[in-house]
Amino acid sequence: MTMDFSSRVLALAGLLQALKLVRQIADTGHADAAAERIALDSVFRIDADSVEAVYGGSASVRGGLLLLRDHLGTVRGDDALPKLAKAILEIERRFVADEGMTEHVLEGIRTLGGIAERQGSIHPEAISRLGQLYADTISHLRPKVIVQGNPHYLQQPEVVAEIRALLLAALRSAVLWRQMGGSLWDFVFSRRQMVAAIDAHLM
Protein backbone atom coordinates (compact mmCIF):
# COMPACT_ATOMS: atom_id res chain seq x y z
CA MET A 1 0.00 0.00 0.00
CA THR A 2 1.40 3.37 -0.96
CA MET A 3 1.39 6.16 1.59
CA ASP A 4 -0.12 9.04 -0.35
CA PHE A 5 -3.06 11.42 -0.16
CA SER A 6 -4.99 9.34 -2.66
CA SER A 7 -5.07 6.41 -0.24
CA ARG A 8 -5.61 8.59 2.83
CA VAL A 9 -8.69 10.34 1.48
CA LEU A 10 -10.23 6.99 0.52
CA ALA A 11 -9.78 5.74 4.08
CA LEU A 12 -11.30 8.94 5.48
CA ALA A 13 -14.16 8.61 3.01
CA GLY A 14 -14.77 5.09 4.27
CA LEU A 15 -14.80 6.40 7.84
CA LEU A 16 -17.27 9.21 7.08
CA GLN A 17 -19.50 6.93 5.01
CA ALA A 18 -19.76 4.45 7.89
CA LEU A 19 -20.51 7.23 10.37
CA LYS A 20 -23.16 8.71 8.06
CA LEU A 21 -24.91 5.34 8.25
CA VAL A 22 -24.61 5.42 12.05
CA ARG A 23 -26.37 8.80 12.05
CA GLN A 24 -29.10 7.53 9.70
CA ILE A 25 -29.81 4.44 11.79
CA ALA A 26 -29.80 6.41 15.05
CA ASP A 27 -32.34 8.86 13.63
CA THR A 28 -34.56 6.60 11.52
CA GLY A 29 -33.81 2.98 12.46
CA HIS A 30 -32.78 2.23 8.88
CA ALA A 31 -29.79 2.72 6.55
CA ASP A 32 -29.00 2.17 2.90
CA ALA A 33 -28.29 -1.57 2.56
CA ALA A 34 -25.77 -1.21 -0.28
CA ALA A 35 -23.72 1.39 1.61
CA GLU A 36 -23.91 -0.69 4.78
CA ARG A 37 -22.62 -3.74 2.93
CA ILE A 38 -19.63 -1.73 1.64
CA ALA A 39 -18.83 -0.55 5.18
CA LEU A 40 -19.15 -3.96 6.85
CA ASP A 41 -17.37 -5.80 4.02
CA SER A 42 -14.37 -3.54 4.66
CA VAL A 43 -14.09 -4.90 8.20
CA PHE A 44 -13.37 -8.38 6.85
CA ARG A 45 -10.86 -7.32 4.17
CA ILE A 46 -7.94 -7.34 6.58
CA ASP A 47 -5.35 -8.51 4.07
CA ALA A 48 -6.43 -6.44 1.05
CA ASP A 49 -3.69 -5.42 -1.42
CA SER A 50 -4.72 -1.76 -1.55
CA VAL A 51 -7.00 0.78 0.09
CA GLU A 52 -9.29 0.68 -2.95
CA ALA A 53 -9.59 -3.10 -2.54
CA VAL A 54 -10.73 -2.67 1.07
CA TYR A 55 -13.84 -0.84 -0.17
CA GLY A 56 -14.27 -2.65 -3.48
CA GLY A 57 -13.11 0.35 -5.54
CA SER A 58 -13.07 4.11 -5.02
CA ALA A 59 -16.57 4.44 -6.54
CA SER A 60 -17.91 2.54 -3.52
CA VAL A 61 -16.99 5.40 -1.20
CA ARG A 62 -18.06 8.24 -3.50
CA GLY A 63 -20.57 9.42 -0.90
CA GLY A 64 -17.83 9.56 1.72
CA LEU A 65 -15.53 11.46 -0.63
CA LEU A 66 -18.22 14.08 -1.18
CA LEU A 67 -18.76 14.38 2.58
CA LEU A 68 -15.01 14.80 3.10
CA ARG A 69 -14.76 17.45 0.38
CA ASP A 70 -17.64 19.36 1.98
CA HIS A 71 -15.93 19.14 5.38
CA LEU A 72 -12.67 20.48 3.96
CA GLY A 73 -14.53 23.32 2.24
CA THR A 74 -17.18 25.70 3.48
CA VAL A 75 -20.29 23.55 3.10
CA ARG A 76 -22.16 23.08 6.37
CA GLY A 77 -23.46 19.59 6.90
CA ASP A 78 -24.43 17.41 9.84
CA ASP A 79 -22.53 18.91 12.80
CA ALA A 80 -22.60 15.57 14.63
CA LEU A 81 -20.63 13.82 11.87
CA PRO A 82 -17.23 15.55 12.38
CA LYS A 83 -17.63 15.14 16.15
CA LEU A 84 -18.12 11.40 15.72
CA ALA A 85 -15.16 11.24 13.33
CA LYS A 86 -12.94 13.06 15.83
CA ALA A 87 -13.93 10.62 18.58
CA ILE A 88 -13.14 7.61 16.36
CA LEU A 89 -9.75 9.05 15.38
CA GLU A 90 -8.94 9.59 19.07
CA ILE A 91 -10.00 6.07 19.98
CA GLU A 92 -7.90 4.66 17.12
CA ARG A 93 -4.71 5.78 18.89
CA ARG A 94 -5.70 3.98 22.09
CA PHE A 95 -6.92 0.92 20.23
CA VAL A 96 -3.67 0.43 18.30
CA ALA A 97 -1.64 0.98 21.48
CA ASP A 98 -3.50 -1.86 23.23
CA GLU A 99 -1.97 -4.95 21.63
CA GLY A 100 -4.17 -7.33 23.59
CA MET A 101 -7.33 -5.62 22.39
CA THR A 102 -6.21 -5.40 18.77
CA GLU A 103 -5.40 -9.12 18.75
CA HIS A 104 -8.76 -9.91 20.34
CA VAL A 105 -10.60 -7.86 17.71
CA LEU A 106 -8.61 -9.32 14.82
CA GLU A 107 -9.26 -12.84 16.07
CA GLY A 108 -12.95 -12.04 16.42
CA ILE A 109 -13.15 -10.66 12.88
CA ARG A 110 -11.40 -13.72 11.45
CA THR A 111 -13.78 -15.99 13.36
CA LEU A 112 -16.77 -14.11 11.97
CA GLY A 113 -15.35 -14.11 8.45
CA GLY A 114 -16.96 -17.46 7.69
CA ILE A 115 -20.42 -16.21 8.66
CA ALA A 116 -19.98 -13.07 6.56
CA GLU A 117 -18.80 -15.13 3.59
CA ARG A 118 -21.70 -17.58 3.77
CA GLN A 119 -24.53 -15.25 4.72
CA GLY A 120 -23.23 -11.78 3.84
CA SER A 121 -21.81 -9.07 6.06
CA ILE A 122 -25.23 -7.44 6.60
CA HIS A 123 -26.91 -10.66 7.72
CA PRO A 124 -28.46 -10.10 11.18
CA GLU A 125 -26.19 -12.71 12.77
CA ALA A 126 -23.03 -11.13 11.36
CA ILE A 127 -24.18 -7.67 12.50
CA SER A 128 -25.11 -8.95 15.95
CA ARG A 129 -21.74 -10.67 16.42
CA LEU A 130 -19.79 -7.65 15.15
CA GLY A 131 -21.78 -5.42 17.48
CA GLN A 132 -21.00 -7.70 20.42
CA LEU A 133 -17.31 -7.71 19.51
CA TYR A 134 -17.32 -3.91 19.62
CA ALA A 135 -19.21 -3.91 22.94
CA ASP A 136 -16.73 -6.37 24.50
CA THR A 137 -13.64 -4.43 23.44
CA ILE A 138 -13.64 -0.99 21.83
CA SER A 139 -16.61 0.34 23.81
CA HIS A 140 -14.38 0.30 26.91
CA LEU A 141 -11.93 2.79 25.39
CA ARG A 142 -12.10 6.49 26.16
CA PRO A 143 -13.33 8.92 25.03
CA LYS A 144 -16.57 6.98 24.76
CA VAL A 145 -18.29 7.42 21.41
CA ILE A 146 -21.67 9.06 22.04
CA VAL A 147 -24.26 8.50 19.32
CA GLN A 148 -27.29 10.76 19.51
CA GLY A 149 -30.55 10.06 17.76
CA ASN A 150 -34.17 9.02 18.22
CA PRO A 151 -34.55 7.32 21.65
CA HIS A 152 -37.20 5.02 20.17
CA TYR A 153 -34.57 3.40 17.95
CA LEU A 154 -31.60 3.70 20.31
CA GLN A 155 -33.45 1.51 22.82
CA GLN A 156 -33.77 -1.37 20.34
CA PRO A 157 -31.02 -4.03 20.76
CA GLU A 158 -30.80 -4.77 17.01
CA VAL A 159 -30.35 -1.06 16.24
CA VAL A 160 -27.66 -0.74 18.90
CA ALA A 161 -25.85 -3.78 17.46
CA GLU A 162 -26.01 -2.28 13.96
CA ILE A 163 -24.60 1.03 15.19
CA ARG A 164 -21.77 -0.75 17.00
CA ALA A 165 -20.94 -2.83 13.92
CA LEU A 166 -20.70 0.33 11.83
CA LEU A 167 -18.57 2.05 14.48
CA LEU A 168 -16.22 -0.92 14.15
CA ALA A 169 -16.15 -0.32 10.38
CA ALA A 170 -15.36 3.35 10.99
CA LEU A 171 -12.51 2.37 13.31
CA ARG A 172 -11.17 -0.02 10.66
CA SER A 173 -11.02 2.95 8.26
CA ALA A 174 -9.32 5.11 10.90
CA VAL A 175 -6.63 2.46 11.40
CA LEU A 176 -6.19 2.23 7.63
CA TRP A 177 -5.87 6.02 7.35
CA ARG A 178 -3.12 6.05 9.97
CA GLN A 179 -1.35 3.14 8.24
CA MET A 180 -1.30 5.25 5.08
CA GLY A 181 0.58 7.97 6.96
CA GLY A 182 -2.49 9.99 7.89
CA SER A 183 -2.17 12.57 10.64
CA LEU A 184 -4.42 15.25 12.11
CA TRP A 185 -1.81 17.70 10.82
CA ASP A 186 -3.09 16.86 7.33
CA PHE A 187 -6.22 18.88 8.14
CA VAL A 188 -4.06 21.86 9.05
CA PHE A 189 -1.32 21.87 6.43
CA SER A 190 -2.48 19.62 3.58
CA ARG A 191 -6.08 20.51 2.88
CA ARG A 192 -5.29 21.53 -0.71
CA GLN A 193 -3.57 18.20 -1.43
CA MET A 194 -6.47 16.34 0.14
CA VAL A 195 -9.06 18.17 -1.98
CA ALA A 196 -6.97 17.50 -5.11
CA ALA A 197 -6.84 13.79 -4.24
CA ILE A 198 -10.61 13.72 -3.65
CA ASP A 199 -11.30 15.45 -6.99
CA ALA A 200 -9.04 12.94 -8.77
CA HIS A 201 -11.14 10.08 -7.41
CA LEU A 202 -14.41 11.81 -8.31
CA MET A 203 -13.45 12.50 -11.93
Side-chain angles (χ1 to χ4, degrees), residues 12-74:
L12 286 174
L15 184 151
L16 288 176
Q17 198 159 290
L19 293 179
K20 181 72 172 179
L21 292 168
V22 167
R23 295 284 298 126
Q24 287 176 355
I25 294 167
D27 283 340
T28 69
H30 300 283
D32 178 77
E36 189 171 8
R37 184 178 291 108
I38 289 164
L40 296 183
D41 279 353
S42 75
V43 174
F44 296 101
R45 292 181 180 141
I46 298 168
D47 301 315
D49 294 331
S50 67
V51 175
E52 286 195 0
V54 170
Y55 303 109
S58 59
S60 297
V61 288
R62 181 179 179 83
L65 288 166
L66 292 169
L67 285 169
L68 181 58
R69 188 170 66 179
D70 287 349
H71 174 70
L72 293 170
T74 57

Side-chain angles (χ1 to χ4, degrees), residues 53-117:
V54 170
Y55 303 109
S58 59
S60 297
V61 288
R62 181 179 179 83
L65 288 166
L66 292 169
L67 285 169
L68 181 58
R69 188 170 66 179
D70 287 349
H71 174 70
L72 293 170
T74 57
V75 178
R76 295 284 292 177
D78 180 357
D79 288 338
L81 202 56
K83 290 178 183 176
L84 274 177
K86 184 174 182 290
I88 291 292
L89 291 175
E90 288 178 7
I91 281 177
E92 182 271 341
R93 290 284 74 196
R94 293 169 174 80
F95 172 69
V96 171
D98 189 332
E99 292 184 10
M101 184 179 289
T102 55
E103 279 301 315
H104 187 149
V105 171
L106 279 171
E107 184 180 334
I109 289 169
R110 290 191 176 103
T111 301
L112 293 176
I115 296 173
E117 195 170 335

Side-chain angles (χ1 to χ4, degrees), residues 157-176:
E158 65 273 16
V159 170
V160 173
E162 201 167 358
I163 286 172
R164 286 171 172 165
L166 286 164
L167 289 174
L168 181 57
L171 180 64
R172 192 271 185 269
S173 288
V175 171
L176 186 61

Side-chain angles (χ1 to χ4, degrees), residues 137-189:
T137 55
I138 298 152
S139 67
H140 297 291
L141 295 173
R142 295 293 179 270
K144 194 170 182 66
V145 178
I146 305 297
V147 175
Q148 297 179 327
N150 188 323
H152 172 71
Y153 299 114
L154 293 177
Q155 291 169 1
Q156 298 177 17
E158 65 273 16
V159 170
V160 173
E162 201 167 358
I163 286 172
R164 286 171 172 165
L166 286 164
L167 289 174
L168 181 57
L171 180 64
R172 192 271 185 269
S173 288
V175 171
L176 186 61
W177 171 70
R178 192 80 68 169
Q179 288 173 337
M180 293 300 99
S183 162
L184 292 176
W185 290 112
D186 290 349
F187 293 96
V188 180
F189 297 116

